[in-house]
Amino acid sequence: KPRILSGIQPTGSLHLGNYLGALSQWVPMQDTYSCNFCVVDLHAVTNTKDHKLQQSSDGLREWTLSSAALYIAAGIDPEKSNIFVQSHVSAHSELSWLLTCTCPMGWMDRMIQFKEKKASKGDNVGLGLYSYPVLMAADILLYGAEKVPVGEDQRQHLELTRDLARRFNDQFCTGSQYKKLCKSLSLPTYPVFREPEAMIVKEGARVMSLTDGTSKMSKSDPSEASRINVLDPPDVIRQKVKRCKTDNFEGIIGAEDRPEARNLITIFKAVQPDRDPAEIEASVRDMNWGQFKPVLAEAVIEHLAPIQKRYEEVRGEEGYLEGVLKRGGDRANEQADETLKRARAAMGFVPRF
Ligand code: AQP
């Protein structure tokens, strides 16, 4: 089966955007692909001091475990897919350094996401955030992933991954020397890295903030009211939906330029995947906001209920989650070490005695 790799940063409690845009999209991939889903905690620490993560390392620990448990609760099956924590596989950090040393500064200076974050955070951005795309490249290349499910905003980072793979292969994996070396170490002679392809997640899966329909729902938004967390209790969901931003147009469907309305309808459809989208629209077309909001809240609550229940079971069963992460980490280490060993050898590091 072709390999896939994806992950979420444990920078907070996972929200409806992470669930609809990532987790729920991963679930059906398990039947077609050999999947690696990791909790990317090394990426999470690239956030600098204005971020809530800095308030306590307990936060990182808890969000890492709760994210992994939510992967399972949302339908990622540890028997089919490999679930692990990024920092449990030290090859990610090491390959990231090797790639950092082959990456021209100019390539990094072009990264749009860093420019945007720097513009909004000023001096609060750290070196880790700058070199984050190289760590992401290491994540992908270690497992020889053929496809990477990414949002449109990550497309440039995936292009960088392809460029880094090609540059490394061209620089270190051609010529008779390389082949001779591989043979002497009993390693395969084909180039170390596979160039991955983007699997762009469909546009409808983008969930916007409840307080501003033009910016995406995000863990790092300082306002709790801006997002629905997957683990929010029903009353909290009702309150958040009740208070969310709307507009003064009549009816909740129609007219192009209505970001909040569009977002709420998108959510309403996404949490009822078994219903026909046209029929869903027809059922709420004549409602006003006061009528629609409770209906929306109940649909979200109903959709999340089984996930929340499963989450409690996963967290409640002593040793279960740890066992899943241990097995996942062991399998990931095995695959990653293989690639790292070849990358080290190709660059000229003396093999371990
Ligand atoms: N609002 C969203 N709508 C749809 N998909 C989303 N994702 C995130 N927000 C939305 C998807 O979730 C996956 C993991 O994201 P991440 O945690 O690695 O980073 P992010 O995209 O930066 O997510 P957040 O929630 O906004 O986190 P912070 O605030 O820490 O930066 C990705 O597949 C992403 O597309």
Side-chain angles (χ1 to χ4, degrees), residues 6-12 14-23 26 40 47 51 113 117 132 149-154 201 205-209 216-221:
S6 204
I8 298 182
Q9 302 182 61
T11 40
L14 301 195
H15 52 71
L16 211 52
N18 298 132
Y19 170 69
L20 294 172
L23 279 178
W26 297 350
V40 286
N47 289 284
H51 197 278
Q113 208 177 66
K117 291 205 174 172
Y132 154 109
V150 286
E152 193 55 51
D153 52 349
Q154 291 289 331
V201 173
R206 194 168 164 85
V207 181
M208 309 311 279
S209 158
K216 80 171 185 125
M217 188 175 282
S218 181
K219 294 182 231 99
S220 56
D221 190 317

Side-chain angles (χ1 to χ4, degrees), residues 40-61:
V40 286
D41 54 348
L42 295 172
H43 286 286
V45 294
T46 59
N47 289 284
T48 42
K49 67 178 183 235
D50 64 327
H51 197 278
K52 58 188 171 181
L53 185 64
Q54 298 293 332
Q55 285 165 14
S56 85
S57 49
D58 288 347
L60 180 60
R61 223 175 338 264

Side-chain angles (χ1 to χ4, degrees), residues 8-219:
I8 298 182
Q9 302 182 61
T11 40
S13 194
L14 301 195
H15 52 71
L16 211 52
N18 298 132
Y19 170 69
L20 294 172
L23 279 178
S24 70
Q25 314 263 344
W26 297 350
V27 174
M29 293 174 191
Q30 299 179 98
D31 296 323
T32 320
Y33 301 100
S34 164
C35 299
N36 276 309
F37 295 120
C38 64
V39 181
V40 286
D41 54 348
L42 295 172
H43 286 286
V45 294
T46 59
N47 289 284
T48 42
K49 67 178 183 235
D50 64 327
H51 197 278
K52 58 188 171 181
L53 185 64
Q54 298 293 332
Q55 285 165 14
S56 85
S57 49
D58 288 347
L60 180 60
R61 223 175 338 264
E62 173 51 26
W63 289 326
T64 302
L65 293 172
S66 73
S67 299
L70 265 184
Y71 285 16
I72 300 167
I76 305 300
D77 179 354
E79 300 301 321
K80 286 187 195 163
S81 302
N82 211 13
I83 303 173
F84 65 99
V85 176
Q86 186 189 25
S87 66
H88 292 182
V89 184
S90 47
H92 289 254
S93 307
E94 187 173 343
L95 182 61
S96 176
W97 178 250
L98 302 187
L99 294 175
T100 296
C101 295
T102 66
C103 179
M105 286 279 281
W107 288 11
M108 299 305 296
D109 289 338
R110 284 203 293 271
M111 294 296 118
I112 295 164
Q113 208 177 66
F114 177 77
K115 284 187 203 166
E116 286 171 357
K117 291 205 174 172
K118 188 167 184 326
S120 67
K121 292 185 172 189
D123 285 345
N124 273 337
V125 293
L127 182 57
L129 195 66
Y130 180 73
S131 57
Y132 154 109
V134 181
L135 179 59
M136 180 174 154
D139 301 338
I140 296 165
L141 297 176
L142 275 176
Y143 301 97
E146 279 144 290
K147 305 255 179 197
V148 185
V150 286
E152 193 55 51
D153 52 349
Q154 291 289 331
R155 190 191 277 274
Q156 196 189 26
H157 293 166
L158 197 79
E159 270 311 310
L160 178 84
T161 304
R162 292 168 58 83
D163 291 344
L164 285 170
R166 202 174 312 125
R167 186 178 169 90
F168 187 99
N169 287 342
D170 288 349
Q171 206 169 336
F172 299 112
C173 311
T174 51
S176 54
Q177 282 287 84
Y178 171 73
K179 292 217 163 77
K180 226 165 93 190
L181 172 81
C182 292
K183 281 194 181 130
S184 72
L185 297 171
S186 306
L187 295 171
T189 53
Y190 50 83
V192 175
F193 298 125
R194 181 201 300 272
E195 288 180 38
E197 276 174 36
M199 190 193 247
I200 299 291
V201 173
K202 62 176 192 274
E203 185 52 36
R206 194 168 164 85
V207 181
M208 309 311 279
S209 158
L210 295 186
T211 47
D212 171 9
T214 60
S215 58
K216 80 171 185 125
M217 188 175 282
S218 181
K219 294 182 231 99

Side-chain angles (χ1 to χ4, degrees), residues 297-313:
E298 294 315 311
V300 173
I301 291 165
E302 195 177 318
H303 187 88
L304 295 182
I307 299 169
Q308 296 183 347
K309 182 164 175 282
R310 179 78 186 112
Y311 174 85
E312 291 307 328
E313 289 165 2

